[in-house]
Amino acid sequence: MSDVQQGASSANASSPRSASGRSGGFDLGRILLEGRAFFALIAIIIIFSILSPVYFSTNNFLTMSSHVAIFGLLSIGMLLVILTGGIDLSVGSTMGLCGVMAGFLMQGVSVDAFGVTLYPPVWAVVVLTCVLGAFVGMINGVLVSIFRVPAFVATLGTLYVARGAALLMTDGLTYNNLGGNPEFGNTGFDWLGFNRLFGVPVGVLIFAAVAIACMFALNRTPFGRWVYATGGNARAAELSGVPVKRVQVWVYVLSGVCAAIAGLVLSSQLTSAGPTAGTTYELTAIAGVVIGGAALTGGRGNVRGTLLGAFVIGFLSDGLVIIGVSSYWQTVFMGAVIVLAVLLNSIQYKPRKKRAASTEHQKASPSSGTA
Amino acid sequence: MSSEESVMERPTRSGSETGEVVLSARNVAKSFGSVHALKSVNFDIRRGQVTTLFGENGAGKSTLMKILSGVIQPSAGEIVLDGEPVRFSSTVDAQRHGISIIHQELSLAPNMNVRDNIFMGRELGGPGGVDYAEEARETERLMAELDEPIGPLTLVEDLRLGQQQIVEIARALSVNSRILIMDEPTSALSASEVEVLFRVIEDLKSRGVSIVYISHHLEEALTITDHAVVLRDGAMTAWAERSEIDLEWIVRHMVGDNFDLGSPPTGHTMGEVALSFENVSVADVAVPERSVVDRLSLAVRAGEIVCIYGLMGAGRTELLECAAGRVSASEGRIMLEGEDISSLSIAERIERGLVLVPEDRQRDGLVQTMAVGENLSLASIGAFTRGLLTSRGREQAVIEASIRNVHIKTDGGAAGIGSLSGGNQQKVVIGKMLATHPRVVLLDEPSRGIDIGAKAEVFRLLAEGASNGLAVIYSTSEVGECLSVAHRIVVMSRGRISAEFGADVTREEIMAASGESAEG
């Protein structure tokens, strides 16, 4: 009743209000719903801290964060793709392929024609690996935007091709010696995954840097606006002058680069590069994005949510390991969390329209009386 | 279940008397929020006769149809079926009472065959699952009745549009409809297919089926109708029998005597030619050999408002989309201020000052997931970008200027698009395009589904723009709009310009020009 009156008084000033204008009893529910990933993370930390004495410590958080960094990087690239309404299933394989590529380059490239073996410095390895990731992403992007192959199918294909290429490169074996040799001047690869800067693992810092860059790109650059517009309504975006096709290619390229960075960090953490690294990581990455509140239909989602989503997954699975839950149960838990997240997504995005419509009705009747 | 019930209700040919009232609307009204889409409408539908609803876009025809077919419920008034007041809770409910609707957009599944489409959702069960043989027999019987030899196993996508229309009718008949609502059934049909349809309608009439018919082709509708109901701005303005009326009568009641949205802006001098089409053709997407725009030439000067009047499917949308760069011309060239822009992208054309306000604002105009402000600034991001970054402050200035200039009623840039009324949403689309400071603006049916106040505002904006040297092309299917805004009116039909008038033309002349060509 009070809601209606409030609506009537505000209707005189202007037409229907946005979500912020609503007040009343369901506000708490609304806050819980919108900040669900955040509250889930808090709940996870509290529960595991109670269950295990070792969980709540800076060191453990840093260790868990460096695990989160790997698929968190994938999630951020995935977020860009999902925001445009696409999906990138190839990131896990791209990550594996890029790790192998890095391993291959660290072993030295022998050029038969000159009878020499080249040992590229670490920065060159990093750049070349990222270029490879970008290349795989570009193939995805071109397939999706120009040849109009459905994103699911195109990236599924790349998933297999990239994995196969990684296996071919190594003959199924793993590159173990990634430390480099001081004689060849290519040491320092382990810095990426092992070392700490100001007490924080470098991998986590890289993850944070990528996240901040992405946040900036999405919120403060034309490109970010184009990404949201493309995912929200590609036809309208195109007619507004948004280079929709170029945006689509770019998000896959960036996703590929993110996968390459993740591959570098992982192989550095493990000091080995195996061709099967990152298998099914694409699904974890998607789960992170979805738990973070992004809509798979595109146009909705943000970096903050995706970060929370990645941390929810990482802190939950590591917590389950710490308290000694069997890995079978871990899988069941992860699945349940993902389903729950998607369920909440549809609650958040669907009734919003209905609720907006009903408030419009409430307000429309008094305003029509005064008009 | 439902089919059994409707079988019982099926009119028996011998027992019923043609002309008796089967369905009537009593003071039916419907409002959506503060918009009164329908105000106290009264009329009867008689057995075995055709009742045609006339009215311009937004007059309330489709709202009325939706009420009669159970899609929506009236806010006031009642529907009386066979003397009993009824309330349809859904289309299925309406169908159970023998009322079926054939929508303007066909609702067939093109990937399925005729038989499966006709029995979709109410497949005939047999001992071993669906009784396909019985369904096929029934389909054949219906097709024979309709005098259209379409095999039950033909895929719907292989049929011509006219034949698909027949399949729709067969589906409606298969549920034993006694009242059939047809919404613009001829808009996609060729002349010969229209003849077939009219023969079917005559046949249905003789079997006691009542038809409610809606069409923009006035002459066509006059040839088959028995009663005419005219709607204007949601109110019924006239109701008469065929013998009492003529074309002029309908037009008079459709557009009204005091229908005035102002007059074209005068007093400013027109500049050079801003946009010109030179022998432009656009191929049909579905049938590449056919041209939807056929070697058309047209020039608009700075400060001039040109209305393109035409019926649905005349090629107006394709012409404008071709100018904007959405589709490419198969022939001819488009010149913007003396420069050939045929090979430029949409973004480049916007940059050079040519923008399109698309026909379907939900599908092509708005990004629903973005706020009002983000939608408004979407086309002019470059204006508030410095280096790599966008400037919040400058963007806010652009948004606020747009909201002010086009008079959008909103809580501010952060409000959701869904919170705005249709008219205000349309203004967002127009405001977005005007924020790019265009020199030529193309508007494709911008007044569709918005109320008269919003319409007047749109016209005011265009007049204001024109007096500042903006060239405007305005596509519409409402004659009244042409007269209130255009310096020049071009009638388009079948991809060509069939007539051209100055601002001093009368409604009847324009309608006649489009009507004649539609028949020919």
Side-chain angles (χ1 to χ4, degrees), chain B residues 314-379:
Chain B
R316 290 175 292 144
T317 298
E318 290 80 0
L319 180 71
L320 297 188
E321 288 195 339
C322 174
R326 153 72 62 76
V327 294
S328 52
S330 55
E331 203 183 325
R333 51 183 194 160
I334 299 166
M335 310 289 285
L336 179 67
E337 291 175 339
E339 184 194 3
D340 189 354
I341 57 164
S342 306
S343 58
L344 299 184
S345 71
I346 297 176
E348 287 166 325
R349 292 181 204 209
I350 292 176
E351 214 168 280
R352 282 169 174 72
L354 173 68
V355 298
L356 169 69
V357 175
E359 181 181 19
D360 187 334
R361 61 174 170 270
Q362 302 299 342
R363 200 185 55 179
D364 296 332
L366 298 168
V367 180
Q368 299 288 353
T369 53
M370 291 173 119
V372 170
E374 289 171 319
N375 268 290
L376 277 170
S377 64
L378 185 60

Side-chain angles (χ1 to χ4, degrees), chain B residues 259-493:
Chain B
F259 180 79
D260 190 17
L261 279 167
S263 49
T266 49
H268 62 279
T269 48
M270 291 183 195
E272 299 287 302
V273 169
L275 179 74
S276 62
F277 299 88
E278 294 176 5
N279 278 315
V280 170
S281 296
V282 178
D284 192 340
V285 185
V287 193
E289 308 88 64
R290 211 173 75 89
S291 292
V292 274
V293 176
D294 193 6
R295 282 159 289 160
L296 183 141
S297 295
L298 176 68
V300 194
R301 295 194 292 166
E304 188 182 24
I305 303 178
V306 174
C307 259
I308 303 182
Y309 174 80
L311 301 168
M312 232 182 85
R316 290 175 292 144
T317 298
E318 290 80 0
L319 180 71
L320 297 188
E321 288 195 339
C322 174
R326 153 72 62 76
V327 294
S328 52
S330 55
E331 203 183 325
R333 51 183 194 160
I334 299 166
M335 310 289 285
L336 179 67
E337 291 175 339
E339 184 194 3
D340 189 354
I341 57 164
S342 306
S343 58
L344 299 184
S345 71
I346 297 176
E348 287 166 325
R349 292 181 204 209
I350 292 176
E351 214 168 280
R352 282 169 174 72
L354 173 68
V355 298
L356 169 69
V357 175
E359 181 181 19
D360 187 334
R361 61 174 170 270
Q362 302 299 342
R363 200 185 55 179
D364 296 332
L366 298 168
V367 180
Q368 299 288 353
T369 53
M370 291 173 119
V372 170
E374 289 171 319
N375 268 290
L376 277 170
S377 64
L378 185 60
S380 42
I381 294 177
F384 53 88
T385 305
R386 293 291 174 276
L388 271 179
L389 301 183
T390 56
S391 152
R392 285 263 161 85
R394 286 204 194 85
E395 176 176 14
Q396 205 51 42
V398 168
I399 292 169
E400 273 161 18
S402 286
I403 291 177
R404 225 174 22 250
N405 290 343
V406 296
H407 297 269
I408 299 166
K409 290 200 194 77
T410 169
D411 268 7
I417 273 292
S419 71
L420 300 189
S421 68
N424 276 303
Q425 290 188 357
Q426 185 66 49
K427 283 192 236 165
V428 170
V429 182
I430 294 175
K432 170 177 75 175
M433 286 350 258
L434 291 183
T436 64
H437 302 294
R439 290 197 295 275
V440 181
V441 59
L442 315 168
L443 298 103
D444 196 1
E445 298 242 19
S447 62
R448 176 172 283 191
I450 66 176
D451 60 44
I452 196 134
K455 206 184 274 190
E457 289 238 35
V458 170
F459 287 2
R460 183 189 57 75
L461 278 172
L462 295 181
E464 207 176 273
S467 55
N468 292 325
L470 185 69
V472 178
I473 298 185
Y474 185 104
S475 145
T476 179
S477 54
E478 293 178 43
V479 178
E481 292 188 358
C482 298
L483 295 168
S484 2
V485 73
H487 296 122
R488 190 147 60 92
I489 297 156
V490 168
V491 180
M492 203 171 157
S493 164

Side-chain angles (χ1 to χ4, degrees), chain B residues 27-180:
Chain B
N27 297 316
V28 168
K30 177 75 189 176
S31 27
F32 298 101
S34 58
V35 180
H36 299 289
L38 215 54
K39 306 164 205 161
S40 191
V41 172
N42 289 289
F43 68 91
D44 295 335
I45 295 169
R46 288 166 190 277
R47 189 183 305 285
Q49 296 191 351
V50 178
T51 307
T52 304
L53 296 179
F54 294 99
E56 297 195 295
N57 288 336
K61 300 187 301 279
S62 52
T63 308
L64 187 54
M65 286 310 89
K66 283 180 185 164
I67 289 174
L68 291 183
S69 60
V71 178
I72 54 177
Q73 279 72 47
S75 319
E78 57 182 7
I79 307 287
V80 181
L81 184 68
D82 299 326
E84 305 257 323
V86 286
R87 213 174 163 81
F88 305 133
S89 57
S90 67
T91 47
V92 178
D93 194 18
Q95 232 169 48
R96 205 171 292 147
H97 286 92
I99 301 174
S100 288
I101 184 163
I102 297 172
H103 288 282
Q104 193 171 355
E105 302 86 22
L106 298 177
S107 54
L108 300 171
N111 58 327
M112 292 166 77
N113 62 37
V114 172
R115 175 197 70 196
D116 293 347
N117 264 289
I118 286 179
F119 289 94
M120 195 189 299
R122 23 177 218 93
E123 288 78 5
L124 300 179
V130 178
D131 190 348
Y132 288 118
E134 177 58 29
E135 282 189 6
R137 263 195 301 282
E138 181 67 13
T139 304
E140 270 169 356
R141 191 187 63 74
L142 287 165
M143 288 303 163
E145 232 175 90
L146 292 172
D147 203 13
E148 187 76 11
I150 304 171
L153 296 182
T154 318
L155 285 183
V156 164
E157 64 191 351
D158 294 338
L159 296 176
R160 287 194 317 273
L161 264 176
Q163 292 176 310
Q164 294 187 13
Q165 193 76 257
I166 302 281
V167 174
E168 279 264 10
I169 294 170
R171 178 156 80 180
L173 291 182
S174 75
V175 296
N176 296 314
S177 306
R178 53 204 187 115
I179 298 171
L180 197 53

